[in-house]
Amino acid sequence: MEQPAIKLEGLVKRYGSGAAAVDALKGVDMVVYPGEVVGLVGPSGSGKTTLLQCLGAVIDPTAGRISLGERVTFDGEWKIRDLRELRRDSIGFMFQAPYLIPFLDVTDNIALLPMLAGRPNGEARSRARELLAALDMTHRADARISQLSGGEAQRVSIARALANNPPIILADEPTAPLDSKRSLAVVELLNQLAEKYRTAIIVVTHDDTIIPTFKRIYHIRDGRTHEEQGEGRAIEA
């Protein structure tokens, strides 16, 4: 059987201590495979963003185990010495707002992360152009961020998340600022790119437009996850 790209076992995140302690996560289990886009849904305050932050090594879990591919990254404590390197090289992030750098053009916004990782300028820019072509954005390669539409900016953020070929992308409400048509277009792109690059993608969402497109969904309630098969509905052009 294929090795999971992401495996969470009994993940706990506790805030505070003693009588004031609050368990935001109470033993979360999750598995995501390469090339798969999985939905993570639940009410506000249910622990969705906390889960992504633990998985993305942004905050420290309290207990449990995180495996990324064959590597155990957390098992009661972090097993990785350089968490910044882990985030940079192994995990791509997408957010509600694209958070692009306004004084750089589109290509440089995408190429910046590989360059920070030590890749030569020409190689990083070549990777940026490859991703822009995959996203049908070549014609905007030299555009400033202020010249982009909301949907175009979110495409650039997808390209940036993929720039270092990470095996994992964590997307926190990536379609929140978009209308239904553009939301579906973003999810279609994520599915295409997941399949092409064998990337495992978790999408946190409240968006009823895109929830029916997931083949697998994790519901999070009271700090625990419950898996169900999704509709996997085809995305209409």
Side-chain angles (χ1 to χ4, degrees), residues 130-145:
E130 172 195 337
L131 290 166
L132 286 171
L135 290 161
D136 195 24
M137 284 282 288
T138 300
H139 63 294
R140 303 299 265 163
D142 299 322
R144 292 288 178 176
I145 302 308

PDB file of all heavy atoms in Angstrom, residues 130-145:
ATOM      1  N   GLU A 130       7.545  27.681 -15.178  1.00  0.00           N
ATOM      2  CA  GLU A 130       6.898  26.371 -15.367  1.00  0.00           C
ATOM      3  C   GLU A 130       5.533  26.340 -14.664  1.00  0.00           C
ATOM      4  O   GLU A 130       4.529  25.883 -15.233  1.00  0.00           O
ATOM      5  CB  GLU A 130       7.788  25.273 -14.806  1.00  0.00           C
ATOM      6  CG  GLU A 130       7.141  23.884 -14.776  1.00  0.00           C
ATOM      7  CD  GLU A 130       7.897  22.901 -13.892  1.00  0.00           C
ATOM      8  OE1 GLU A 130       9.092  23.097 -13.649  1.00  0.00           O
ATOM      9  OE2 GLU A 130       7.254  21.928 -13.426  1.00  0.00           O
ATOM     10  N   LEU A 131       5.503  26.824 -13.427  1.00  0.00           N
ATOM     11  CA  LEU A 131       4.252  26.824 -12.663  1.00  0.00           C
ATOM     12  C   LEU A 131       3.241  27.806 -13.246  1.00  0.00           C
ATOM     13  O   LEU A 131       2.037  27.513 -13.289  1.00  0.00           O
ATOM     14  CB  LEU A 131       4.542  27.157 -11.201  1.00  0.00           C
ATOM     15  CG  LEU A 131       5.288  26.064 -10.425  1.00  0.00           C
ATOM     16  CD1 LEU A 131       5.823  26.601  -9.108  1.00  0.00           C
ATOM     17  CD2 LEU A 131       4.377  24.866 -10.183  1.00  0.00           C
ATOM     18  N   LEU A 132       3.711  28.958 -13.698  1.00  0.00           N
ATOM     19  CA  LEU A 132       2.790  29.914 -14.324  1.00  0.00           C
ATOM     20  C   LEU A 132       2.165  29.315 -15.585  1.00  0.00           C
ATOM     21  O   LEU A 132       0.971  29.524 -15.854  1.00  0.00           O
ATOM     22  CB  LEU A 132       3.527  31.215 -14.653  1.00  0.00           C
ATOM     23  CG  LEU A 132       3.857  32.097 -13.450  1.00  0.00           C
ATOM     24  CD1 LEU A 132       4.784  33.236 -13.862  1.00  0.00           C
ATOM     25  CD2 LEU A 132       2.587  32.645 -12.814  1.00  0.00           C
ATOM     26  N   ALA A 133       2.950  28.556 -16.346  1.00  0.00           N
ATOM     27  CA  ALA A 133       2.406  27.899 -17.534  1.00  0.00           C
ATOM     28  C   ALA A 133       1.352  26.868 -17.138  1.00  0.00           C
ATOM     29  O   ALA A 133       0.285  26.769 -17.767  1.00  0.00           O
ATOM     30  CB  ALA A 133       3.526  27.242 -18.325  1.00  0.00           C
ATOM     31  N   ALA A 134       1.626  26.103 -16.062  1.00  0.00           N
ATOM     32  CA  ALA A 134       0.666  25.095 -15.605  1.00  0.00           C
ATOM     33  C   ALA A 134      -0.633  25.736 -15.127  1.00  0.00           C
ATOM     34  O   ALA A 134      -1.700  25.116 -15.206  1.00  0.00           O
ATOM     35  CB  ALA A 134       1.288  24.265 -14.482  1.00  0.00           C
ATOM     36  N   LEU A 135      -0.531  26.972 -14.641  1.00  0.00           N
ATOM     37  CA  LEU A 135      -1.703  27.676 -14.121  1.00  0.00           C
ATOM     38  C   LEU A 135      -2.319  28.619 -15.149  1.00  0.00           C
ATOM     39  O   LEU A 135      -3.211  29.409 -14.805  1.00  0.00           O
ATOM     40  CB  LEU A 135      -1.301  28.478 -12.872  1.00  0.00           C
ATOM     41  CG  LEU A 135      -0.967  27.626 -11.652  1.00  0.00           C
ATOM     42  CD1 LEU A 135      -0.152  28.426 -10.642  1.00  0.00           C
ATOM     43  CD2 LEU A 135      -2.233  27.110 -11.004  1.00  0.00           C
ATOM     44  N   ASP A 136      -1.849  28.552 -16.398  1.00  0.00           N
ATOM     45  CA  ASP A 136      -2.353  29.422 -17.467  1.00  0.00           C
ATOM     46  C   ASP A 136      -2.197  30.896 -17.086  1.00  0.00           C
ATOM     47  O   ASP A 136      -3.097  31.713 -17.297  1.00  0.00           O
ATOM     48  CB  ASP A 136      -3.826  29.097 -17.770  1.00  0.00           C
ATOM     49  CG  ASP A 136      -4.289  29.703 -19.097  1.00  0.00           C
ATOM     50  OD1 ASP A 136      -3.431  29.951 -19.966  1.00  0.00           O
ATOM     51  OD2 ASP A 136      -5.502  29.937 -19.246  1.00  0.00           O
ATOM     52  N   MET A 137      -1.030  31.221 -16.534  1.00  0.00           N
ATOM     53  CA  MET A 137      -0.771  32.590 -16.085  1.00  0.00           C
ATOM     54  C   MET A 137       0.498  33.170 -16.703  1.00  0.00           C
ATOM     55  O   MET A 137       1.012  34.192 -16.236  1.00  0.00           O
ATOM     56  CB  MET A 137      -0.649  32.604 -14.556  1.00  0.00           C
ATOM     57  CG  MET A 137      -1.951  32.509 -13.807  1.00  0.00           C
ATOM     58  SD  MET A 137      -2.837  34.087 -13.772  1.00  0.00           S
ATOM     59  CE  MET A 137      -1.788  35.014 -12.636  1.00  0.00           C
ATOM     60  N   THR A 138       0.999  32.559 -17.769  1.00  0.00           N
ATOM     61  CA  THR A 138       2.231  33.039 -18.385  1.00  0.00           C
ATOM     62  C   THR A 138       2.118  34.498 -18.806  1.00  0.00           C
ATOM     63  O   THR A 138       3.081  35.271 -18.685  1.00  0.00           O
ATOM     64  CB  THR A 138       2.592  32.161 -19.595  1.00  0.00           C
ATOM     65  OG1 THR A 138       2.782  30.811 -19.154  1.00  0.00           O
ATOM     66  CG2 THR A 138       3.864  32.639 -20.265  1.00  0.00           C
ATOM     67  N   HIS A 139       0.947  34.894 -19.268  1.00  0.00           N
ATOM     68  CA  HIS A 139       0.751  36.265 -19.753  1.00  0.00           C
ATOM     69  C   HIS A 139       0.817  37.300 -18.630  1.00  0.00           C
ATOM     70  O   HIS A 139       0.894  38.500 -18.897  1.00  0.00           O
ATOM     71  CB  HIS A 139      -0.599  36.374 -20.462  1.00  0.00           C
ATOM     72  CG  HIS A 139      -1.786  36.113 -19.586  1.00  0.00           C
ATOM     73  ND1 HIS A 139      -2.046  34.886 -19.023  1.00  0.00           N
ATOM     74  CD2 HIS A 139      -2.778  36.945 -19.153  1.00  0.00           C
ATOM     75  CE1 HIS A 139      -3.148  34.954 -18.299  1.00  0.00           C
ATOM     76  NE2 HIS A 139      -3.608  36.186 -18.353  1.00  0.00           N
ATOM     77  N   ARG A 140       0.820  36.844 -17.371  1.00  0.00           N
ATOM     78  CA  ARG A 140       0.887  37.772 -16.227  1.00  0.00           C
ATOM     79  C   ARG A 140       2.238  37.688 -15.517  1.00  0.00           C
ATOM     80  O   ARG A 140       2.414  38.238 -14.433  1.00  0.00           O
ATOM     81  CB  ARG A 140      -0.225  37.458 -15.228  1.00  0.00           C
ATOM     82  CG  ARG A 140      -1.617  37.507 -15.805  1.00  0.00           C
ATOM     83  CD  ARG A 140      -1.946  38.885 -16.331  1.00  0.00           C
ATOM     84  NE  ARG A 140      -2.655  39.695 -15.350  1.00  0.00           N
ATOM     85  CZ  ARG A 140      -2.772  41.015 -15.413  1.00  0.00           C
ATOM     86  NH1 ARG A 140      -2.167  41.686 -16.377  1.00  0.00           N
ATOM     87  NH2 ARG A 140      -3.454  41.672 -14.500  1.00  0.00           N
ATOM     88  N   ALA A 141       3.224  37.056 -16.142  1.00  0.00           N
ATOM     89  CA  ALA A 141       4.509  36.797 -15.486  1.00  0.00           C
ATOM     90  C   ALA A 141       5.199  38.073 -15.012  1.00  0.00           C
ATOM     91  O   ALA A 141       5.874  38.073 -13.978  1.00  0.00           O
ATOM     92  CB  ALA A 141       5.436  36.027 -16.428  1.00  0.00           C
ATOM     93  N   ASP A 142       5.055  39.165 -15.761  1.00  0.00           N
ATOM     94  CA  ASP A 142       5.748  40.412 -15.425  1.00  0.00           C
ATOM     95  C   ASP A 142       4.840  41.423 -14.736  1.00  0.00           C
ATOM     96  O   ASP A 142       5.256  42.562 -14.488  1.00  0.00           O
ATOM     97  CB  ASP A 142       6.347  41.039 -16.689  1.00  0.00           C
ATOM     98  CG  ASP A 142       7.372  40.127 -17.360  1.00  0.00           C
ATOM     99  OD1 ASP A 142       8.135  39.467 -16.629  1.00  0.00           O
ATOM    100  OD2 ASP A 142       7.392  40.074 -18.600  1.00  0.00           O
ATOM    101  N   ALA A 143       3.613  41.017 -14.427  1.00  0.00           N
ATOM    102  CA  ALA A 143       2.649  41.953 -13.835  1.00  0.00           C
ATOM    103  C   ALA A 143       2.984  42.226 -12.377  1.00  0.00           C
ATOM    104  O   ALA A 143       3.554  41.387 -11.670  1.00  0.00           O
ATOM    105  CB  ALA A 143       1.239  41.393 -13.952  1.00  0.00           C
ATOM    106  N   ARG A 144       2.613  43.423 -11.922  1.00  0.00           N
ATOM    107  CA  ARG A 144       2.681  43.748 -10.508  1.00  0.00           C
ATOM    108  C   ARG A 144       1.448  43.173  -9.811  1.00  0.00           C
ATOM    109  O   ARG A 144       0.401  42.964 -10.431  1.00  0.00           O
ATOM    110  CB  ARG A 144       2.729  45.262 -10.309  1.00  0.00           C
ATOM    111  CG  ARG A 144       4.018  45.893 -10.814  1.00  0.00           C
ATOM    112  CD  ARG A 144       5.180  45.563  -9.913  1.00  0.00           C
ATOM    113  NE  ARG A 144       6.439  46.119 -10.421  1.00  0.00           N
ATOM    114  CZ  ARG A 144       7.595  46.041  -9.798  1.00  0.00           C
ATOM    115  NH1 ARG A 144       7.658  45.430  -8.627  1.00  0.00           N
ATOM    116  NH2 ARG A 144       8.684  46.555 -10.317  1.00  0.00           N
ATOM    117  N   ILE A 145       1.565  42.941  -8.529  1.00  0.00           N
ATOM    118  CA  ILE A 145       0.473  42.316  -7.784  1.00  0.00           C
ATOM    119  C   ILE A 145      -0.779  43.183  -7.821  1.00  0.00           C
ATOM    120  O   ILE A 145      -1.904  42.673  -7.896  1.00  0.00           O
ATOM    121  CB  ILE A 145       0.917  42.053  -6.330  1.00  0.00           C
ATOM    122  CG1 ILE A 145       2.171  41.156  -6.307  1.00  0.00           C
ATOM    123  CG2 ILE A 145      -0.206  41.420  -5.530  1.00  0.00           C
ATOM    124  CD1 ILE A 145       2.068  39.885  -7.116  1.00  0.00           C
TER     125      ILE A 145
END
